[in-house]
Amino acid sequence: MTYLRSFTAAEPGAATVVVFPQAGAGCLRLRETAAALPTGTGLLGVQLPGREDRLEDPAPGGLAEVVDTVTGELRDTAADRPLVLLGLSLGALLAYEVARRLEAGGAAARSLVVAAARSPEHWSTFPAADPPQEELAALLHPSVRGTALARYAVLPLRCDLRLMTGYRVPAAPLADTPLCSVSGRRDTVVTAQQMAGWRERAAVHRGHRVIDAGHHEFMDPGVLAALAADADLRGAVRG
């Protein structure tokens, strides 16, 4: 099954925002976000296996498989209109790798926004990605922790974290894709300091911003719309 879900189609000349949700999360709630974006903006979400409408799909073979598939699905869109890649937490690493692959194919995204996400070097020493149940449960949304749903919610979370086992930081930064990073003032999972390395991952780094948000609020429609605005949806941002 395809990895992309379409929520709105971009009007001629407008950008398409591609959202990569955090580990364990699905993208179907992006239906609420479409109305918060500027009129005419396209909105796509990346849906990994094991959740929502892909509940029964088998886990991917690794990070490369996910990146290859998503990049392949985005190529036609990238050829027709500008892409803004917006990655949240672990989704930022996926977005970053897709940005690299798009650049290599001559179809660089207009910009990359990484939010609430440790920079790549933190993942290069990531262990076997098999932490105990209680450790994973602590990463869940507060409304799910301690409920009967928690033991099911950790399954896609564990699967997503396994994608990062053995991750190697690319030697070269993004050359043609400007990057900006955003952290949450109330985020207790990822700190601004843990995001500092993102400034080295793109030749054009457009700064770091701190907003008043907790880790699990980055998927809220208003927050996502603000993040997309940071990417300058209607103007060129390449320096």
Side-chain angles (χ1 to χ4, degrees):
M1 182 183 286
T2 176
Y3 274 68
L4 296 181
R5 301 291 177 270
S6 178
F7 299 95
T8 58
E11 294 179 357
T16 292
V17 177
V18 187
V19 177
F20 296 71
Q22 64 211 56
C27 72
L28 295 187
R29 64 178 294 191
L30 291 175
R31 293 189 185 99
E32 306 166 16
T33 302
L37 293 174
T39 302
T41 304
L43 179 62
L44 297 173
V46 175
Q47 188 78 310
L48 297 183
R51 69 217 67 203
E52 296 181 337
D53 60 345
R54 300 196 66 187
L55 190 60
E56 297 184 2
D57 288 354
L63 179 65
E65 178 182 322
V66 174
V67 173
D68 286 347
T69 305
V70 174
T71 304
E73 292 182 16
L74 283 174
R75 280 200 181 100
D76 287 345
T77 302
D80 293 337
R81 59 187 59 87
L83 290 183
V84 170
L85 307 182
L86 202 169
L88 311 177
S89 197
L90 180 67
L93 266 293
L94 299 181
Y96 168 61
E97 290 296 327
V98 169
R100 293 181 59 242
R101 197 66 56 85
L102 287 170
E103 274 197 4
R110 170 177 282 179
S111 61
L112 168 64
V113 180
V114 295
R118 291 175 178 84
S119 44
E121 72 276 6
H122 289 277
W123 294 97
S124 63
T125 56
F126 195 62
D130 197 23
Q133 188 87 352
E134 58 272 17
E135 188 174 323
L136 286 178
L139 298 176
L140 297 175
H141 192 283
S143 65
V144 177
R145 296 176 206 156
T147 71
L149 292 174
R151 67 173 182 165
Y152 300 103
V154 299
L155 296 177
L157 176 58
R158 188 184 298 278
C159 183
D160 292 355
L161 289 174
R162 284 176 176 159
L163 294 175
M164 301 311 300
T165 304
Y167 179 73
R168 295 184 179 181
V169 180
L174 292 167
D176 300 314
T177 309
L179 181 153
C180 65
S181 55
V182 183
S183 61
R185 188 172 293 109
R186 293 181 283 105
D187 192 341
T188 59
V189 178
V190 178
T191 66
Q193 183 177 2
Q194 290 170 327
M195 296 189 67
W198 282 113
R199 67 171 62 96
E200 307 298 331
R201 302 320 312 160
V204 180
H205 181 252
R206 297 200 169 268
H208 179 82
R209 191 160 72 92
V210 181
I211 65 173
D212 185 30
H215 191 74
H216 295 281
E217 294 172 35
F218 279 89
M219 278 291 283
D220 291 352
V223 176
L224 281 175
L227 295 179
D230 281 346
D232 189 5
L233 291 176
R234 297 196 177 279
V237 297
R238 292 180 189 171

